[in-house]
Amino acid sequence: MGNCPVVFVPSHRSYADFILMSLVCFTYDIEIPAIAAGMDFHAMWGMGSMLRDTGAFFMRRSYNDDGLYWTTFKQYIYQLVTKGDLPIEFFIEGTRSRSNKSLAPKYVSLILNNNLATRQELLTVEELTKEVYWLKGVIELYGAFVHTENVEDSIKDCFIVHNNLIEVTAGDRVCLVRNNIVLDKINPSKLKAHSLSDQTITYALPFVMLQIYINPTLQYFVDSALLVVILNCQTNLNK
C-alpha cells in the first residue's frame, strides 16, 4: 500500500462477491477499493446503490467506435491509479464460469449422461455403483483426485441432495426427473435464442443440468479423446 498503486483482480462467481471483497478489506482495516462495475449494475435494484456506497464506478460493457468515451474513461482510470487514495478492484469476466467448471465435478453424472444419451437401458443402483468404481479408477490414472471415502454412501447422498434431478424408480433403476415445464407462466420477451416447445424444454433441461456437473471432468479426458478420434479417422481411411 503506501505510495504504490494497488489493483485487486479477484475472481468471482456471484454478484455478492463484489461486496465480499469490500467486507474483507474493511475487516482488515484496508481502504475499501473503488470497484469497476458494468453499467448494467447502475440501475439494478439494491446492487446499484450498494456498489455506489462502497466506492464503485461504472463502465460500459463495450465502447464500439466511441473514441471520446474510451479516451475519457482511460484517463479517469489513470487518475485513480496514479493520484487516487483508494485501491482499485477489477473483476476479470473470464474467471467466472457459467458452466460451473470451478465446482467439484460429479463423476454420479458422467455415467448417467452416457447411459441416457446412448438410450441404453436404465442402470440399477448396483450397476451404477460398479460403473462409478470403474470410472474412479480410470480418472485417478489420469491424475484426478476423487474425494470419496465410500462410493456407495456418496451415491446415496447424491440421490438425496439432487432429488430434483435424479430419482430411483420402483424397479431400483436410476433415471432423470422430468418436471413438466409450462411456458405459459414464463414471459416470452425474456427468452433468448430459439423458441422451444414445452415438451422439448422438459426433456432437455435435466440433460443440460447433468452436463453442467460433467463439464469439470472433461479436462482429464481431452487428450485421450483426441487420440481416439484420430485413430477412428485413420481406421476409416484404411477401410
Side-chain angles (χ1 to χ4, degrees):
M1 302 295 279
N3 295 323
C4 298
V6 174
V7 180
F8 296 116
V9 191
S11 62
H12 72 306
R13 291 190 56 244
S14 73
Y15 297 152
D17 293 341
F18 284 107
I19 311 304
L20 184 61
M21 189 71 185
S22 298
L23 177 62
V24 171
C25 290
F26 177 80
T27 302
Y28 286 94
D29 201 24
I30 299 173
E31 289 285 356
I32 296 177
I35 304 171
M39 187 58 74
D40 45 330
F41 289 105
H42 187 271
M44 184 179 291
W45 182 87
M47 184 57 67
S49 58
M50 201 179 300
L51 285 169
R52 283 191 294 273
D53 291 344
T54 55
F57 59 96
F58 301 91
M59 62 180 182
R60 295 180 187 172
R61 293 288 185 177
S62 61
Y63 305 114
N64 297 322
D65 297 325
D66 193 340
L68 177 61
Y69 181 89
W70 167 244
T71 301
T72 305
F73 184 79
K74 186 165 63 172
Q75 185 59 222
Y76 178 74
I77 295 294
Y78 176 80
Q79 293 297 324
L80 284 178
V81 172
T82 59
K83 299 180 181 178
D85 298 325
L86 302 176
I88 294 179
E89 180 180 343
F90 186 87
F91 288 90
I92 298 178
E93 182 67 19
T95 59
R96 184 170 65 165
S97 171
R98 289 188 171 92
S99 64
N100 283 348
K101 65 186 179 185
S102 57
L103 294 180
K106 308 292 189 295
Y107 297 100
V108 189
S109 62
L110 195 63
I111 293 168
L112 280 177
N113 184 75
N114 180 68
N115 181 262
L116 295 167
T118 54
R119 297 182 180 274
Q120 299 179 37
E121 187 178 354
L122 294 176
L123 293 170
T124 63
V125 175
E126 183 180 356
E127 290 170 338
L128 178 63
T129 304
K130 290 180 180 178
E131 291 286 333
V132 171
Y133 266 116
W134 172 81
L135 181 62
K136 178 178 181 292
V138 170
I139 207 165
E140 285 176 337
L141 289 175
Y142 282 117
F145 171 71
V146 182
H147 179 66
T148 180
E149 296 178 358
N150 186 295
V151 171
E152 289 87 349
D153 290 343
S154 296
I155 291 176
K156 291 177 182 177
D157 288 341
C158 285
F159 288 153
I160 297 172
V161 174
H162 302 288
N163 59 11
N164 64 321
L165 178 61
I166 52 178
E167 64 180 354
V168 181
T169 65
D172 200 37
R173 296 192 177 274
V174 184
C175 65
L176 294 183
V177 175
R178 291 193 173 93
N179 297 314
N180 288 328
I181 297 174
V182 182
L183 292 179
D184 293 342
K185 299 179 181 179
I186 301 175
N187 184 354
S189 64
K190 294 185 178 181
L191 297 177
K192 297 181 180 179
H194 299 287
S195 177
L196 302 174
S197 67
D198 299 6
Q199 184 179 6
T200 300
I201 295 180
T202 297
Y203 184 82
L205 186 60
F207 273 102
V208 173
M209 294 178 66
L210 201 61
Q211 187 64 48
I212 287 175
Y213 289 119
I214 292 170
N215 285 344
T217 69
L218 300 183
Q219 58 176 318
Y220 296 107
F221 300 108
V222 168
D223 293 342
S224 296
L226 289 174
L227 288 174
V228 170
V229 170
I230 293 170
L231 291 173
N232 281 338
C233 291
Q234 188 65 40
T235 302
N236 293 331
L237 287 174
N238 290 337
K239 290 181 180 179

